[in-house]
Amino acid sequence: GIQVEQSPPDLILQEGANSTLRCNFSDSVNNLQWFHQNPWGQLINLFYIPSGTKQNGRLSATTVATERYSLLYISSSQTTDSGVYFCAVERTDSWGKLQFGAGTQVVVTP
Amino acid sequence: GAGVSQTPSNKVTEKGKYVELRCDPISGHTALYWYRQSLGQGPEFLIYFQGTGAADDSGLPNDRFFAVRPEGSVSTLKIQRTERGDSAMYLCASSLRGASFNEQYFGPGTRLTVT
């Protein structure tokens, strides 16, 4: 199956700092999503971004599908940004099945 | 509008018992998915419905697991003869599936504990 690797596995940030999370995947995809999982386990949709660049407030994401990676940027981090960030991809020939990475655990300290 | 809902939010059962987990998708979403998440890991795909039929059940771990979606809306995940290893968060998602667009939206999950 497709491999999805996220880095770094853990990240500790001071409030106000910027950071970049990376997602590498091993095969062609037709869907890529970034999620934030809050402490209660809810997966919050951040971006649907199979290619290109999108921005939403302090967050932005870029996917370069031809090079099989995606980046999530967090700017001016806040304590509410703490949690686990997941990248998930749907392989081109595997409709409906999202393959998740292991996640990046982010802790933002005041 | 209302998001994906799942009931119960928590379920504790004894080893060997039968459990049912329910998922209500976003109204109008034709596709529905079940995932399972163990502690410290990313969610893992179980099964995907398009309408009433299971389009891909390749993620179901064994024949103790079964899911239905009889009217193309609500779905129930059924686990027979539960084992301690079945303890996990069970997540449901839905999407308005198009030919080139398939953003999945997740519910809050059901945390299953098998004692």
Side-chain angles (χ1 to χ4, degrees):
Chain A
I2 190 168
Q3 305 301 312
V4 183
E5 297 181 352
Q6 291 187 243
S7 60
D10 300 280
L11 191 58
I12 300 176
L13 299 169
Q14 188 118 30
E15 202 168 21
N18 303 328
S19 64
T20 302
L21 282 58
R22 187 176 180 103
C23 172
N24 292 334
F25 44 96
S26 61
D27 209 340
S28 299
V29 300
N30 51 254
N31 175 10
L32 187 147
Q33 293 185 242
W34 282 98
F35 298 92
H36 176 211
Q37 189 164 43
N38 67 22
W40 298 272
Q42 173 80 57
L43 281 168
I44 309 296
N45 287 43
L46 297 178
F47 294 102
Y48 173 85
I49 186 166
S51 63
T53 297
K54 291 186 177 179
Q55 179 153 9
N56 184 2
R58 296 180 297 102
L59 301 180
S60 64
T62 295
T63 297
V64 183
T66 53
E67 297 186 22
R68 298 183 182 167
Y69 73 88
S70 184
L71 302 173
L72 178 69
Y73 306 95
I74 306 175
S75 65
S76 305
S77 58
Q78 301 177 357
T79 55
T80 52
D81 295 331
S82 296
V84 183
Y85 289 80
F86 286 105
C87 166
V89 303
E90 178 184 294
R91 210 173 73 183
T92 302
D93 62 352
S94 193
W95 289 93
K97 184 186 298 187
L98 278 180
Q99 179 71 42
F100 282 76
T104 293
Q105 173 82 56
V106 173
V107 175
V108 182
T109 61
Chain B
V4 178
S5 62
Q6 293 186 245
T7 54
S9 54
N10 282 284
K11 176 71 177 177
V12 180
T13 190
E14 292 179 350
K15 179 176 178 296
K17 299 289 188 183
Y18 168 84
V19 296
E20 290 189 351
L21 312 180
R22 177 187 167 107
C23 173
D24 275 274
I26 293 172
S27 178
H29 278 192
T30 56
L32 184 146
Y33 315 82
W34 285 98
Y35 294 82
R36 178 169 72 172
Q37 185 176 23
S38 300
L39 207 59
Q41 299 180 18
E44 294 179 326
F45 171 83
L46 295 177
I47 186 170
Y48 149 50
F49 288 90
Q50 182 64 37
T52 60
D56 184 346
D57 64 358
S58 62
L60 294 177
N62 52 59
D63 61 7
R64 295 187 298 104
F65 289 74
F66 189 69
V68 296
R69 194 187 185 200
E71 297 179 357
S73 178
V74 170
S75 176
T76 304
L77 178 65
K78 309 180 182 204
I79 311 174
Q80 299 178 320
R81 304 183 304 279
T82 52
E83 299 177 357
R84 292 195 180 88
D86 298 335
S87 296
M89 175 75 92
Y90 288 80
L91 296 165
C92 176
S94 70
S95 71
L96 184 62
R97 185 165 186 82
S100 60
F101 183 83
N102 186 32
E103 183 171 6
Q104 297 187 25
Y105 295 86
F106 282 77
T110 293
R111 187 169 298 281
L112 176 67
T113 304
V114 182
T115 61

